[in-house]
Amino acid sequence: QDWHAYNLAQTHEAERVAELLHGLCQGIVQPPQGRGRPRNPLSDVVFSGVLKVYSTVSGRRFQSDLRECATKGLVGKRVSYNSMFDYLERPDLTPILKALIEESAAPLKAVETDFAVDSSGFSTCRFDRWFDAKYGQMHQERKWLKVHLMCGVKTNIVTSVEVTPSNRNDSPYLPQLAEATAKRFTMAEVSADKGYISKNNLQAVVALGAVPYIPFKSGTTGAGPDLWRRMFHFYSFNRDAFLSHYHKRSNVETTFSMIKGKFGDSLRSKSDTAQVN
C-alpha cells in the first residue's frame, strides 16, 4: 500500500470529484429556450444532481455544499433542491448521465484492455404486495433494480452501464455493454460468469476484436458453430490457462463492492425514472 498516495487521494477526494465533474459537464449542450421562464442551465443541473448523490446527504443539506461550489466557479447558477428533484425524474436525463459515465472512463483507455461484466441489485423504498391463495395470506417483497455494468480489471473504472428491472436476465446485455466500451477502448479480453454463455455473446465479443472468457455450463457439448467449438475445446482441455484469464472477472465484484461501500445498496428516490437516474 502506497500510504502517501492513498492519504492524498482520500483527503482531496471531494474537491477532485467536483473539479472533474465540472469539466465533464462543460460538454453538455444546452437545449434551446422556448417560451416561459428561463430554464436552469442543463450543465449546472447535472453537476448539482450528480454531486448531491455523491454527497449522500439530503437535497436541503446539500445546498451548503452547492453554495461553496458556486463561490469557486464550478457551477454558474445554484440549483434549488426542488429543481434537482424535478430533473432527476426526467427520462431525457438518463442518456446524458450514461454518456458522462462512459466519457469519464475514456482517459484510462491507454491502461485498460481487459474487461469484466456482471450485474448487482439495489433495493428501493417501494414494495410489491400480493395475496397467496394457496396459504390464504398476504406477502410483500421490496422492489429492487438491477445494474449491469462492464469495468476495467486494472482500475475498476466503469466503462458502460445499463439499469433494468430486477426480473431481466443478464446475458442479453453483454453485447451492448461491450459495444459501448469498444467505442473508447481497445478490447483484448472480456470475462463473465456462466450466466452470460451463449453463441450470440461469444460472437459479439469476437466481432469487437476481443477474446471471450466465459465458462460453459455442465452438460454443454461442443456441437455448434466453429467459434463455439473452439472456445469449448479450449475451456475443456486448457482449463488452467482459461481460468487464469477468467478469474479477472472477480474485479467486477470488487467494483460493485466499492460502489455500495460508498453509496450503500439502496436507492432513496421513489419514482421509477428517478431511481434509474
Side-chain angles (χ1 to χ4, degrees), residues 34-71:
R35 293 184 178 181
R37 295 174 57 188
R39 298 195 191 102
N40 289 309
L42 189 55
S43 58
D44 289 347
V45 170
V46 173
F47 177 92
S48 303
V50 173
L51 204 61
K52 182 266 172 195
V53 173
Y54 169 79
S55 71
T56 69
V57 300
S58 68
R60 293 171 176 83
R61 291 189 176 96
F62 176 67
Q63 291 297 297
S64 298
D65 296 332
L66 198 55
R67 282 193 292 269
E68 185 177 349
C69 290
T71 302

Side-chain angles (χ1 to χ4, degrees), residues 257-277:
S257 177
M258 295 163 70
I259 292 172
K260 292 184 177 183
K262 167 63 185 174
F263 299 105
D265 58 1
S266 61
L267 306 173
R268 299 183 180 186
S269 302
K270 293 182 177 138
S271 69
D272 293 335
T273 302
Q275 287 170 358
V276 171
N277 287 337

Side-chain angles (χ1 to χ4, degrees), residues 137-155:
Q137 59 185 4
M138 292 294 297
H139 291 275
Q140 71 175 17
E141 183 181 69
R142 189 181 292 274
K143 284 188 174 182
W144 52 282
L145 293 181
K146 185 181 281 189
V147 176
H148 311 259
L149 64 80
M150 180 167 282
C151 72
V153 302
K154 291 181 180 178
T155 64

Side-chain angles (χ1 to χ4, degrees), residues 4 13 21 33 59 66 74 76 80 124 132 140 209 251 257 260 267:
H4 178 67
E13 178 184 304
L21 180 59
Q33 172 70 48
L66 198 55
L74 297 176
S80 70
T124 71
D132 191 326
Q140 71 175 17
N251 289 279
S257 177
K260 292 184 177 183
L267 306 173

